[in-house]
Amino acid sequence: MRYWSKGLGRRSALHIEWSKGEYEIAVADGREVLAAVMPPHLVRGEPPPPGQQVIVSGQTLPPIVWRYISVLTQKDFEDMLRLAASPESVRFVAHVPGGRRLFLKVTWLLIGFFFRYLWTWALSKVPGLAQARWPGERKAGAVTAPASQAAPATSEPDSVEADIEAESSELA
Amino acid sequence: MWLWSKGLGRLILPMDIGKAELQAEGETLVVKGVIVAPKVYWDYALSLQKKDLLDCMALLTDQRVVAYLVRERGFGLLGVLLKVAFRFGTSYLWAELKKLARRDRRDEVLV
Protein backbone atom coordinates (compact mmCIF):
# COMPACT_ATOMS: atom_id res chain seq x y z
CA MET A 1 0.00 0.00 0.00
CA ARG A 2 1.10 3.54 -0.57
CA TYR A 3 1.12 5.93 2.32
CA TRP A 4 1.12 9.65 1.77
CA SER A 5 0.78 12.41 4.30
CA LYS A 6 1.28 16.14 4.26
CA GLY A 7 4.19 15.60 6.63
CA LEU A 8 6.16 13.82 3.95
CA GLY A 9 6.53 17.16 2.22
CA ARG A 10 7.64 17.00 -1.37
CA ARG A 11 8.76 13.41 -1.05
CA SER A 12 6.66 10.88 -2.87
CA ALA A 13 4.55 8.32 -1.03
CA LEU A 14 5.98 5.56 1.14
CA HIS A 15 5.44 2.06 -0.20
CA ILE A 16 4.58 -0.19 2.72
CA GLU A 17 4.29 -3.89 1.95
CA TRP A 18 2.24 -6.14 4.23
CA SER A 19 2.66 -9.37 2.31
CA LYS A 20 4.13 -12.30 4.23
CA GLY A 21 7.85 -12.08 4.85
CA GLU A 22 7.95 -8.32 4.27
CA TYR A 23 7.13 -7.36 7.85
CA GLU A 24 7.68 -8.47 11.41
CA ILE A 25 4.83 -8.82 13.80
CA ALA A 26 4.84 -8.89 17.59
CA VAL A 27 2.54 -8.30 20.52
CA ALA A 28 4.17 -5.86 22.90
CA ASP A 29 3.71 -2.62 24.79
CA GLY A 30 3.36 0.00 22.06
CA ARG A 31 4.58 2.81 24.31
CA GLU A 32 7.79 0.96 25.09
CA VAL A 33 8.41 0.08 21.46
CA LEU A 34 7.89 3.68 20.34
CA ALA A 35 9.94 5.02 23.26
CA ALA A 36 12.85 2.93 21.98
CA VAL A 37 12.91 4.89 18.71
CA MET A 38 11.62 8.26 19.89
CA PRO A 39 11.68 10.00 23.30
CA PRO A 40 8.12 10.01 24.70
CA HIS A 41 8.02 13.83 24.98
CA LEU A 42 8.35 14.08 21.21
CA VAL A 43 5.22 12.05 20.58
CA ARG A 44 2.54 14.44 19.40
CA GLY A 45 -1.04 13.66 20.27
CA GLU A 46 -2.28 10.72 22.27
CA PRO A 47 0.31 7.98 22.69
CA PRO A 48 -0.86 4.36 22.47
CA PRO A 49 -2.78 3.26 25.56
CA PRO A 50 -0.85 1.35 28.22
CA GLY A 51 -0.79 -2.39 27.73
CA GLN A 52 -0.08 -4.64 24.81
CA GLN A 53 -0.73 -3.88 21.17
CA VAL A 54 0.14 -5.46 17.84
CA ILE A 55 3.39 -4.08 16.46
CA VAL A 56 3.96 -4.37 12.72
CA SER A 57 7.38 -3.25 11.62
CA GLY A 58 9.52 -3.46 8.54
CA GLN A 59 11.08 -1.41 5.80
CA THR A 60 9.35 0.60 3.13
CA LEU A 61 10.07 -0.48 -0.42
CA PRO A 62 12.33 1.48 -2.81
CA PRO A 63 12.79 4.22 -3.91
CA ILE A 64 12.52 5.44 -0.30
CA VAL A 65 13.74 2.74 2.07
CA TRP A 66 12.98 3.65 5.65
CA ARG A 67 12.28 1.59 8.72
CA TYR A 68 8.74 1.93 10.00
CA ILE A 69 6.82 0.80 13.06
CA SER A 70 3.06 0.77 13.31
CA VAL A 71 1.15 0.13 16.50
CA LEU A 72 -2.34 -1.32 16.12
CA THR A 73 -4.93 -1.71 18.85
CA GLN A 74 -8.00 -3.94 18.79
CA LYS A 75 -10.06 -0.87 17.80
CA ASP A 76 -7.93 -0.47 14.66
CA PHE A 77 -8.63 -4.07 13.64
CA GLU A 78 -12.35 -3.55 14.21
CA ASP A 79 -12.19 -0.35 12.16
CA MET A 80 -10.37 -2.25 9.39
CA LEU A 81 -13.15 -4.84 9.35
CA ARG A 82 -15.84 -2.15 9.27
CA LEU A 83 -14.07 -0.30 6.44
CA ALA A 84 -13.80 -3.56 4.49
CA ALA A 85 -17.59 -3.96 4.64
CA SER A 86 -18.41 -0.32 3.88
CA PRO A 87 -20.47 0.45 0.73
CA GLU A 88 -17.49 2.11 -0.98
CA SER A 89 -15.31 -0.94 -0.39
CA VAL A 90 -18.02 -3.27 -1.71
CA ARG A 91 -18.45 -1.05 -4.77
CA PHE A 92 -14.70 -1.30 -5.33
CA VAL A 93 -14.72 -5.10 -5.08
CA ALA A 94 -17.75 -5.38 -7.37
CA HIS A 95 -16.34 -3.15 -10.12
CA VAL A 96 -12.61 -3.77 -10.13
CA PRO A 97 -11.38 -6.23 -12.81
CA GLY A 98 -11.14 -9.68 -11.21
CA GLY A 99 -13.57 -8.55 -8.54
CA ARG A 100 -15.32 -11.89 -8.21
CA ARG A 101 -12.08 -13.67 -7.42
CA LEU A 102 -11.22 -10.91 -4.95
CA PHE A 103 -14.61 -11.30 -3.29
CA LEU A 104 -14.08 -15.06 -2.96
CA LYS A 105 -10.60 -14.58 -1.51
CA VAL A 106 -11.79 -11.99 1.02
CA THR A 107 -14.70 -14.25 1.97
CA TRP A 108 -12.32 -17.19 2.37
CA LEU A 109 -10.04 -15.11 4.63
CA LEU A 110 -13.04 -13.94 6.68
CA ILE A 111 -14.19 -17.55 7.14
CA GLY A 112 -10.65 -18.55 8.12
CA PHE A 113 -10.46 -15.69 10.58
CA PHE A 114 -13.86 -16.64 12.07
CA PHE A 115 -12.91 -20.26 12.71
CA ARG A 116 -9.42 -19.44 13.92
CA TYR A 117 -10.87 -16.86 16.30
CA LEU A 118 -13.50 -19.29 17.55
CA TRP A 119 -10.88 -21.98 18.05
CA THR A 120 -8.49 -19.68 19.90
CA TRP A 121 -11.33 -18.41 22.08
CA ALA A 122 -12.41 -21.98 22.89
CA LEU A 123 -8.81 -22.88 23.79
CA SER A 124 -8.64 -19.92 26.13
CA LYS A 125 -11.68 -21.26 27.97
CA VAL A 126 -10.29 -24.76 28.49
CA PRO A 127 -8.82 -24.86 32.01
CA GLY A 128 -5.24 -26.02 32.32
CA LEU A 129 -4.19 -24.93 28.85
CA ALA A 130 -3.04 -21.46 29.88
CA GLN A 131 0.49 -22.10 28.68
CA ALA A 132 -0.69 -23.38 25.34
CA ARG A 133 -3.18 -20.57 24.84
CA TRP A 134 -1.01 -18.06 23.08
CA PRO A 135 1.49 -19.87 20.86
CA GLY A 136 2.91 -16.66 19.36
CA GLU A 137 3.56 -15.05 22.71
CA ARG A 138 4.98 -18.21 24.20
CA LYS A 139 7.57 -18.29 21.44
CA ALA A 140 8.44 -14.67 22.17
CA GLY A 141 8.73 -15.47 25.87
CA ALA A 142 5.95 -13.05 26.85
CA VAL A 143 4.00 -15.61 28.87
CA THR A 144 6.27 -17.13 31.45
CA ALA A 145 5.30 -18.37 34.84
CA PRO A 146 7.58 -17.51 37.79
CA ALA A 147 9.81 -20.40 38.84
CA SER A 148 7.99 -20.67 42.18
CA GLN A 149 4.67 -21.17 40.39
CA ALA A 150 5.96 -23.37 37.64
CA ALA A 151 4.25 -26.72 37.32
CA PRO A 152 6.33 -29.80 38.17
CA ALA A 153 8.01 -31.26 35.15
CA THR A 154 5.87 -34.04 33.78
CA SER A 155 5.47 -35.34 30.30
CA GLU A 156 1.73 -34.60 30.17
CA PRO A 157 1.76 -30.79 29.70
CA ASP A 158 4.31 -31.19 26.94
CA SER A 159 2.07 -33.56 25.06
CA VAL A 160 -0.95 -31.26 25.42
CA GLU A 161 1.13 -28.31 24.30
CA ALA A 162 2.45 -30.30 21.37
CA ASP A 163 -1.11 -31.20 20.38
CA ILE A 164 -2.24 -27.57 20.54
CA GLU A 165 0.85 -26.45 18.66
CA ALA A 166 0.22 -29.04 15.94
CA GLU A 167 -3.42 -27.97 15.64
CA SER A 168 -2.44 -24.31 15.51
CA SER A 169 0.08 -24.97 12.76
CA GLU A 170 -2.51 -27.02 10.88
CA LEU A 171 -4.85 -24.04 11.05
CA ALA A 172 -2.03 -21.80 9.89
CA MET B 1 -3.06 3.28 14.81
CA TRP B 2 0.28 4.95 15.39
CA LEU B 3 2.92 5.19 12.71
CA TRP B 4 6.57 5.99 13.08
CA SER B 5 9.02 6.09 10.25
CA LYS B 6 12.56 7.33 10.02
CA GLY B 7 11.52 9.77 7.33
CA LEU B 8 8.56 11.30 9.13
CA GLY B 9 10.84 13.55 11.10
CA ARG B 10 10.74 13.53 14.87
CA LEU B 11 7.10 12.52 15.01
CA ILE B 12 4.89 9.60 15.80
CA LEU B 13 1.60 10.07 14.04
CA PRO B 14 -1.74 8.93 15.43
CA MET B 15 -4.25 7.89 12.75
CA ASP B 16 -7.88 7.13 13.53
CA ILE B 17 -8.86 4.69 10.78
CA GLY B 18 -12.43 4.65 12.10
CA LYS B 19 -12.86 8.28 11.03
CA ALA B 20 -11.29 7.79 7.61
CA GLU B 21 -13.23 7.93 4.36
CA LEU B 22 -13.01 5.42 1.56
CA GLN B 23 -12.91 6.33 -2.09
CA ALA B 24 -12.60 3.98 -5.06
CA GLU B 25 -10.31 5.44 -7.73
CA GLY B 26 -10.06 3.01 -10.65
CA GLU B 27 -8.21 -0.06 -9.44
CA THR B 28 -7.22 1.61 -6.19
CA LEU B 29 -9.12 1.98 -2.95
CA VAL B 30 -8.05 5.12 -1.15
CA VAL B 31 -8.42 5.56 2.61
CA LYS B 32 -8.38 9.26 3.37
CA GLY B 33 -8.21 10.84 6.78
CA VAL B 34 -6.65 13.52 8.91
CA ILE B 35 -3.90 13.18 11.48
CA VAL B 36 -4.85 15.42 14.37
CA ALA B 37 -2.28 16.18 17.05
CA PRO B 38 -1.03 19.36 18.72
CA LYS B 39 0.29 21.66 15.95
CA VAL B 40 -0.43 18.94 13.40
CA TYR B 41 -3.43 18.79 11.10
CA TRP B 42 -2.24 16.73 8.19
CA ASP B 43 -4.19 14.94 5.52
CA TYR B 44 -3.12 11.39 4.88
CA ALA B 45 -4.02 8.86 2.23
CA LEU B 46 -3.47 5.12 2.06
CA SER B 47 -3.81 3.73 -1.45
CA LEU B 48 -4.69 0.07 -1.49
CA GLN B 49 -4.73 -2.22 -4.47
CA LYS B 50 -6.36 -5.65 -4.60
CA LYS B 51 -3.24 -7.33 -3.26
CA ASP B 52 -2.97 -4.86 -0.36
CA LEU B 53 -6.57 -5.54 0.62
CA LEU B 54 -5.83 -9.26 0.77
CA ASP B 55 -2.58 -8.64 2.67
CA CYS B 56 -4.49 -6.63 5.31
CA MET B 57 -7.00 -9.44 5.66
CA ALA B 58 -4.19 -12.00 5.87
CA LEU B 59 -2.55 -9.95 8.63
CA LEU B 60 -5.81 -10.18 10.53
CA THR B 61 -5.71 -13.97 10.40
CA ASP B 62 -2.16 -14.17 11.82
CA GLN B 63 -2.25 -16.39 14.91
CA ARG B 64 -0.61 -13.73 17.11
CA VAL B 65 -3.16 -11.13 16.05
CA VAL B 66 -6.03 -13.56 16.63
CA ALA B 67 -4.69 -14.46 20.09
CA TYR B 68 -4.32 -10.76 20.92
CA LEU B 69 -7.87 -9.98 19.77
CA VAL B 70 -9.32 -12.91 21.70
CA ARG B 71 -7.61 -11.69 24.84
CA GLU B 72 -8.67 -8.07 24.36
CA ARG B 73 -12.19 -8.52 22.99
CA GLY B 74 -13.21 -12.04 23.92
CA PHE B 75 -16.33 -13.44 22.32
CA GLY B 76 -17.70 -9.97 21.48
CA LEU B 77 -15.67 -9.53 18.30
CA LEU B 78 -17.36 -12.54 16.71
CA GLY B 79 -20.63 -10.59 16.74
CA VAL B 80 -18.94 -7.69 14.97
CA LEU B 81 -17.35 -10.10 12.50
CA LEU B 82 -20.64 -11.80 11.69
CA LYS B 83 -22.32 -8.44 11.17
CA VAL B 84 -19.47 -7.26 8.92
CA ALA B 85 -19.43 -10.51 6.92
CA PHE B 86 -23.20 -10.43 6.44
CA ARG B 87 -23.15 -6.79 5.32
CA PHE B 88 -20.20 -7.41 2.99
CA GLY B 89 -21.79 -10.52 1.44
CA THR B 90 -25.26 -9.09 0.92
CA SER B 91 -23.97 -5.73 -0.38
CA TYR B 92 -21.72 -7.51 -2.85
CA LEU B 93 -24.52 -9.76 -4.09
CA TRP B 94 -26.78 -6.72 -4.44
CA ALA B 95 -24.09 -4.91 -6.47
CA GLU B 96 -23.67 -7.99 -8.70
CA LEU B 97 -27.44 -8.25 -9.23
CA LYS B 98 -27.59 -4.57 -10.17
CA LYS B 99 -24.76 -5.14 -12.66
CA LEU B 100 -26.65 -8.08 -14.21
CA ALA B 101 -29.89 -6.07 -14.43
CA ARG B 102 -28.06 -3.21 -16.11
CA ARG B 103 -26.50 -5.62 -18.62
CA ASP B 104 -29.91 -7.18 -19.40
CA ARG B 105 -31.41 -3.74 -19.98
CA ARG B 106 -28.52 -2.82 -22.29
CA ASP B 107 -29.01 -6.08 -24.25
CA GLU B 108 -32.73 -5.34 -24.63
CA VAL B 109 -31.99 -1.88 -25.99
CA LEU B 110 -29.50 -3.36 -28.47
CA VAL B 111 -32.05 -5.98 -29.64
Side-chain angles (χ1 to χ4, degrees), chain A residues 1-8 11 14-20 23 25-27 34 37-38 42-49 52-54 56 60 66-86 88-90 92-100 102-103 105-107 109-110 112-114 116-118 120-121 124 133-137 143 168 171, chain B residues 1-29 31 35-78 80-85 87-93 95-96 99-100 102-103:
Chain A
M1 77 184 114
R2 288 187 168 273
Y3 170 81
W4 172 87
S5 111
K6 202 179 164 189
L8 282 171
R11 299 177 196 110
L14 296 181
H15 195 164
I16 296 172
E17 186 76 39
W18 272 4
S19 54
K20 266 194 178 159
Y23 63 86
I25 192 165
V27 177
L34 291 177
V37 291
M38 175 84 59
L42 288 177
V43 177
R44 292 209 195 161
E46 279 285 302
Q52 295 204 312
Q53 288 98 27
V54 173
V56 182
T60 58
W66 284 332
R67 182 148 180 81
Y68 73 88
I69 295 172
S70 52
V71 178
L72 295 133
T73 62
Q74 48 97 7
K75 184 186 169 292
D76 295 316
F77 288 106
E78 272 183 54
D79 288 339
M80 275 162 74
L81 276 173
R82 288 206 176 95
L83 280 181
S86 66
E88 199 58 43
S89 176
V90 171
F92 170 75
V93 173
H95 291 96
V96 77
R100 271 184 204 159
L102 180 64
F103 171 74
K105 280 182 180 173
V106 170
T107 306
L109 285 168
L110 278 175
F113 176 69
F114 178 81
R116 184 171 283 198
Y117 194 93
L118 198 62
T120 310
W121 176 81
S124 74
R133 225 185 270 177
W134 317 110
E137 288 182 11
V143 180
S168 297
L171 277 170
Chain B
M1 177 179 169
W2 287 261
L3 179 72
W4 169 84
S5 167
K6 199 183 159 191
L8 285 172
R10 288 149 47 108
L11 286 173
I12 291 168
L13 302 172
M15 291 190 282
D16 191 346
I17 306 173
K19 288 180 184 163
E21 281 175 20
L22 278 184
Q23 217 172 304
E25 292 176 4
E27 292 191 24
T28 310
L29 187 64
V31 182
I35 296 165
V36 183
K39 292 183 188 171
V40 171
Y41 194 84
W42 290 346
D43 293 328
Y44 74 86
L46 283 167
S47 306
L48 300 147
Q49 298 205 319
K50 281 191 291 183
K51 188 183 161 296
D52 299 317
L53 207 63
L54 292 171
D55 287 343
C56 286
M57 295 301 295
L59 178 79
L60 201 67
T61 60
D62 186 285
Q63 185 58 41
R64 282 160 293 190
V65 175
V66 172
Y68 165 77
L69 290 173
V70 167
R71 197 179 42 194
E72 293 290 318
R73 284 291 268 113
F75 200 71
L77 191 70
L78 280 180
V80 176
L81 180 67
L82 284 175
K83 216 187 288 177
V84 161
R87 207 187 321 150
F88 180 69
T90 49
S91 309
Y92 177 79
L93 289 176
E96 280 289 323
K99 256 185 0 186
L100 278 175
R102 218 175 301 147
R103 200 177 303 162

